Amino acid sequence: MASGGGNNRNGTHRNSLKGTTTTSTASTDKPLSVNSNPSKPAFKNKSSPLTGASSGLRKSSPGSLGGGAAKDDAGVPGRVRVAVRLRPRNAEESVADADFADCVELQPELKRLKLRKNNWDTDTYEFDEVLTEFASQKRVYEVAAKPVVEGVLDGYNGTIMAYGQTGTGKTYTLGRLGEEDTANRGIMVRAMEDILAEVSPEIDSVLVSYLQLYMESLQDLLDPTNDNISIVEEPKSGDVSLPGATLVEIRDQQSFLELLRLGEAHRHAANTKLNTESSRSHALLMVHVKRTVKGREPAHSSDNGNSTSMARSLRPPLVRKGKLVVVDLAGSERIDKSGSDGHTREEAKSINLSLSALGKCINALAENSAHVPVRDSKLTRLLRDSFGGTARTSLVITVGPSPRHRGETASTIMFGQRAMKVENMLKLKEEFDYKSLARRLDIQLDKLIMEHERKQKAFEVEIERITAEAQNRISEAERNYADAVEKERLKYQKDYMESIKKLEEKWMMNQQNQGNERKEQMVHIAEEVAEVKKLLSKETSLRKAAEEEVDNLKSQLAQLKMSEALANSEILKLQKMVEDEVCQKEKLEGEISMLQSQLLHLSFEADETRKRLDRGGPGKVPGGLDSPVSQVRSQLKDSGNGEKASVAKLFEQVGLQKILSLLEAEDADVRIHAVKVVANLAAEETNQQKIVEAGGLKSLLMLLGSSEDETIHRVAAGAIANLAMNEKNQELIMSQGGISLLSTTASHAKDPQTLRMVAGAIANLCGNDKLQTKLRGEGGIKALLEIVKCGHPDVLAQVARGIANFAKCESRASTQGSKTGRSLLIEDGALPWIVQNANSDASPIRRHTELALCHLAQHEVNAKDMISEGALWELVRISQDCPREDIRTLAHRTLASSPDFIAGLKRLQIDY
Ligand code: ADP
Ligand code: MG
């Protein structure tokens, strides 16, 4: 409802014919003058009284709507069209008002309504359409609604509204579903039928919402929980929208009927006394129709016909959006008068608010008032476009015939009259549909992509086919090549085999020639091989044995290592002892050197003294005589018991070790004195053991080898002879090469006393049973037989003693069976000397040789030699003349028992 239109609307005119003539003809101009709009033709067109405006719209010829021409963007003038409909008397009225005339009288052909004031006075009103109680629903639709619906389909907003007292047929007119009789279908159903018949379901859309406004609260009849929908107005365009309302897309009539039924069921109805079906709420059906304009360029297209199809396809489609609003208003009667109970006054005010606000706005518009209170109520806000806006609006006011409701009817008529004065500016709602263009392009793009993919696929298949073909060709070429190569190879192989064969034949021929030679070589080689094998196995076994030996040695080595470790510890011990000994030795050496100097001093003094004595008899011995060393020297010079005693004394005073160490002294005199002292000591059996233990024997034997002095030789040999009386010492002498040393000494000796000492020593050794063989082996017997050459009886006596000792031991061994064969004495040629000396004048010689002969004779094995050497005679003599009775008896018994001797005696004709 635009506030104050600047259009060529006329000012307000009273449409009442009150106070003027009651004839209808006279008032014709007056009500008509109310509608200053000259577009009367529509009303003159009987078949479609309101379509004049509609066709005008279609032809974009606003001029036909009356008023001035308007520019496109400003819209075309379109006055609110008002039709009045009279309900027939209902049953109750037929009875109650039977005696009264209707309060209205209709003149439909004149489009006039006469309202009876009293029995003689009426007011006449002219409307755009006057529909009697006999008007069919179809006719009502066509007259009051169809032009609006067509406008909506063409892209204009449209409003169809019913106004009137409760029970006068508003709902009947608008909302009847016509289920019982299709002829009764109301405007809503018929409008939807027309819309659905016109739209193309593929490109157009029909969306419906159904709402109820009650006590200023807007409720969604399609979703009762949604009971406070807010109204959003776009300030620029003035468009009203309800973002919170349910929008249902309608594709067929049946679903629309379902929707209406559902909405009706939800409708909050306030029962009133007047009519239980009537409502105190306003019902609003909103139908949004969006249509794509086909085969027409948009009105403002600048296309000059040169564009390509591509450009055309990129052009967004043109759409027209028309909104049809069908409003079934609440009853227009005053609430306090309605007698409805349960409502307080405040509630009644609130219930009537929207309707009275609508009345006020329409009044303001009709009177071209500066202020239209659109914002006073939700209904007026919602219908902003319908009154004074851009919509084509058609109002049906419903009246009842009863004179009892004359006041209400009059008020309704006045409302209709005022509404007729409201001028709207119809505007086409046309725009480009970029969204659908985008969708279309998306689809096109999808198609192109699909096409591309299809081509790509085909291309890939083709590539695969070509690849496979190429592969086949390649493999065929490869096969051909392989075949050719194989053929070539076979050919060469064959050639090769043939040449080999030829060569073999040649070789065979050569071979046959060389065959025989070769065979021999082969045999030879085979033999060599066998030989080598034998050697190899021998080597192997040797190697095994060696390995075993190595193992053995290894284990021995391990043992040795162990014992070596033990020995090492022993050695360490001994080394310690040796160190001690060395210390001791150093000490002794110091003492020795001291003694040596003393001895030298003494010797010097002794020589001096001797010289003095030689010169002039006993003189005074220099003071040194009293010294111990002087005593030693004098004692050494003494002989006999006195000497021995002195030596013993010396031994005690000086110590054996020191004396023995002097045996190795540098000075010869000292050595001589020392060896004499030792010899004297060795003469004593008690000293012998000590001397040997102190190493004296070893020193003496060494002196025999090292010294060239015969005195030393003589004295040392004597000492050795004395020591050789002991069996243990005999073994020591032998083990230290005594025989060899003694025989060498003997060979160099000039003094018979030296030889006597040597012979005595050997003679003692000869008396040892254990040393027989060794002694003889080392030339002991031969040495004795050498010594006898000197002829000194003392020497010979010692030799004889030795031979007797040897013979005795040998005889004992032969008797015991440990010795077999001839006597070693005989072997070494001692027998002649024995026989020769058996009857010696020197009794010691004779005694020993006689004994030796007797021992030799004991054994038959010696008999022959003895007989041949002339021992038999001696034996006979011994058995007769020997002064020792035991020897005599022995000789006799031997001669008597030995068969050889007996035979010998016989042969020699010895009478025995
Ligand atoms: P409102 O909606 O204005 O309150 P309704 O449409 O409910 O009135 O009508 C009230 C009663 O009158 C209903 O029973 C309805 O059938 C009946 N009626 C209304 N108009 C007509 C008509 N033109 N012809 C026959 N019956 C009608
Ligand atoms: Mg109703």
Side-chain angles (χ1 to χ4, degrees), residues 26-91:
S27 63
T28 305
D29 281 342
K30 265 205 168 171
L32 282 175
S33 69
V34 170
N35 301 301
S36 58
N37 194 329
S39 61
K40 280 292 148 188
F43 291 93
K44 284 171 185 164
N45 182 340
K46 264 192 153 184
S47 62
S48 180
L50 290 176
T51 52
S54 169
S55 60
L57 277 177
R58 289 188 182 197
K59 290 167 195 158
S60 298
S61 57
S64 63
L65 278 171
K71 287 177 185 170
D72 272 352
D73 55 348
V76 290
R79 185 180 49 79
V80 173
R81 302 279 161 171
V82 181
V84 63
R85 186 181 195 188
L86 176 64
R87 171 175 59 75
R89 283 192 178 203
N90 57 30

Side-chain angles (χ1 to χ4, degrees), residues 793 797 800-801 841-849:
R801 188 171 64 87
D841 290 337
S843 68
I845 300 169
R846 196 180 63 232
R847 197 175 68 240
H848 289 305
T849 46

Side-chain angles (χ1 to χ4, degrees), residues 598-839:
Q598 282 176 352
L599 270 170
L600 280 173
H601 182 68
L602 286 172
S603 313
F604 174 76
E605 276 180 7
D607 285 346
E608 289 298 305
T609 311
R610 202 181 300 134
K611 278 171 198 166
R612 267 202 306 277
L613 284 171
D614 290 347
R615 274 197 306 262
K620 235 192 168 180
V621 177
L625 266 181
D626 292 336
S627 70
V629 181
S630 305
Q631 283 170 15
V632 168
R633 200 183 63 82
S634 64
Q635 281 157 1
L636 284 171
K637 286 189 84 172
D638 286 351
S639 59
N641 289 340
E643 187 187 51
K644 273 182 191 165
S646 305
V647 167
K649 206 175 169 191
L650 179 81
F651 177 47
E652 274 170 28
Q653 286 170 348
V654 180
L656 183 60
Q657 277 296 341
K658 285 174 195 167
I659 295 165
L660 287 177
S661 70
L662 292 174
L663 290 175
E664 286 157 41
E666 294 283 313
D667 185 65
D669 277 340
V670 175
R671 279 206 303 275
I672 289 164
H673 290 314
V675 81
K676 279 181 182 171
V677 171
V678 173
N680 278 322
L681 286 170
E684 288 292 314
E685 211 182 319
T686 49
N687 297 332
Q688 285 174 357
Q689 192 60 26
K690 287 176 195 166
I691 291 165
V692 172
E693 279 169 9
L697 179 56
K698 201 177 170 187
S699 302
L700 291 166
L701 286 166
M702 248 170 61
L703 273 180
L704 287 184
S706 62
S707 178
E708 294 193 346
D709 188 293
E710 190 154 4
T711 312
I712 287 174
H713 283 178
R714 177 171 46 80
V715 179
I720 291 165
N722 277 335
L723 293 173
M725 289 193 296
N726 178 297
E727 195 178 322
K728 215 170 169 189
N729 295 347
Q730 288 163 1
E731 284 167 20
L732 278 171
I733 293 163
M734 287 299 291
S735 69
Q736 288 170 20
I739 292 297
S740 151
L741 286 167
L742 286 167
S743 53
T744 310
T745 307
S747 65
H748 293 113
K750 283 162 190 134
D751 185 350
Q753 285 309 314
T754 308
L755 290 172
R756 187 174 71 94
M757 295 305 169
V758 170
I762 295 173
N764 284 344
L765 295 173
C766 285
N768 192 317
D769 291 295
K770 291 177 208 160
L771 302 173
Q772 292 275 291
T773 319
K774 190 172 164 65
L775 185 128
R776 183 252 174 172
E778 288 180 9
I781 293 161
K782 291 235 163 99
L784 283 177
L785 292 174
E786 205 57 36
I787 288 168
V788 294
K789 286 176 185 166
C790 98
H792 194 285
D794 288 348
V795 177
L796 298 184
Q798 287 306 321
V799 171
R801 188 171 64 87
I803 286 170
N805 277 348
F806 196 92
K808 187 177 81 186
C809 290
E810 206 175 45
S811 168
R812 209 155 38 214
S814 295
T815 310
Q816 286 164 3
S818 58
K819 159 91 179 71
T820 49
R822 281 200 309 177
S823 164
L824 297 172
L825 289 168
I826 295 168
E827 295 282 340
D828 279 2
L831 193 53
W833 185 84
I834 296 168
V835 173
Q836 197 185 322
N837 289 279
N839 199 17

Side-chain angles (χ1 to χ4, degrees), residues 131 252 287 398 431 462 650 657 692 749 780 794:
L131 300 160
D252 56 74
V287 183
T398 54
E431 62 185 38
E462 184 62 13
L650 179 81
Q657 277 296 341
V692 172
D794 288 348

Side-chain angles (χ1 to χ4, degrees), residues 25-197:
T25 49
S27 63
T28 305
D29 281 342
K30 265 205 168 171
L32 282 175
S33 69
V34 170
N35 301 301
S36 58
N37 194 329
S39 61
K40 280 292 148 188
F43 291 93
K44 284 171 185 164
N45 182 340
K46 264 192 153 184
S47 62
S48 180
L50 290 176
T51 52
S54 169
S55 60
L57 277 177
R58 289 188 182 197
K59 290 167 195 158
S60 298
S61 57
S64 63
L65 278 171
K71 287 177 185 170
D72 272 352
D73 55 348
V76 290
R79 185 180 49 79
V80 173
R81 302 279 161 171
V82 181
V84 63
R85 186 181 195 188
L86 176 64
R87 171 175 59 75
R89 283 192 178 203
N90 57 30
E92 188 260 337
E93 285 165 339
S94 299
V95 175
D97 302 329
D99 299 330
F100 302 96
D102 288 349
C103 71
V104 289
E105 184 191 327
L106 302 181
Q107 294 175 317
E109 62 285 0
L110 295 175
K111 316 239 189 250
R112 283 181 182 169
L113 176 148
K114 284 185 173 178
L115 177 63
R116 197 182 300 276
K117 288 170 73 182
N118 44 52
N119 285 332
W120 58 91
D121 197 7
T122 57
D123 285 331
T124 301
Y125 301 95
E126 195 171 326
F127 286 95
D128 290 313
E129 199 58 53
V130 173
L131 300 160
T132 68
E133 66 265 45
F134 309 110
S136 68
Q137 290 278 73
K138 182 172 185 280
R139 178 164 165 73
V140 173
Y141 170 74
E142 282 176 351
V143 193
K146 193 163 184 157
V148 179
V149 172
E150 284 171 345
V152 168
L153 284 167
D154 282 342
Y156 294 87
N157 285 345
T159 310
I160 302 166
M161 194 161 67
Y163 180 93
Q165 191 185 355
T166 299
T168 52
K170 295 183 296 295
T171 306
Y172 183 91
T173 302
L174 296 176
R176 199 146 178 129
L177 299 181
E179 286 163 310
E180 71 293 344
D181 182 357
T182 51
N184 290 338
R185 286 171 295 159
I187 286 171
M188 287 178 181
V189 177
R190 289 173 192 270
M192 186 56 74
E193 274 173 1
D194 279 1
I195 289 167
L196 288 175

Side-chain angles (χ1 to χ4, degrees), residues 8 29 101 170 172 179 191 223 253 267-268 271 327 331 347 457 526 611 621 668 704 760 797 834 852 861 887 900:
N8 52 347
D29 281 342
K170 295 183 296 295
Y172 183 91
E179 286 163 310
D223 179 7
Q253 191 62 16
R267 193 166 176 194
H268 178 85
N271 291 331
V327 188
E347 280 172 338
K457 183 80 193 151
K611 278 171 198 166
V621 177
L704 287 184
I834 296 168
V861 71
I887 295 173
D900 276 330

Side-chain angles (χ1 to χ4, degrees), residues 544-556:
K544 270 184 193 160
E547 278 171 359
E548 278 168 18
E549 188 62 27
V550 166
D551 289 343
N552 216 8
L553 287 172
K554 274 182 187 168
S555 67
Q556 280 182 17

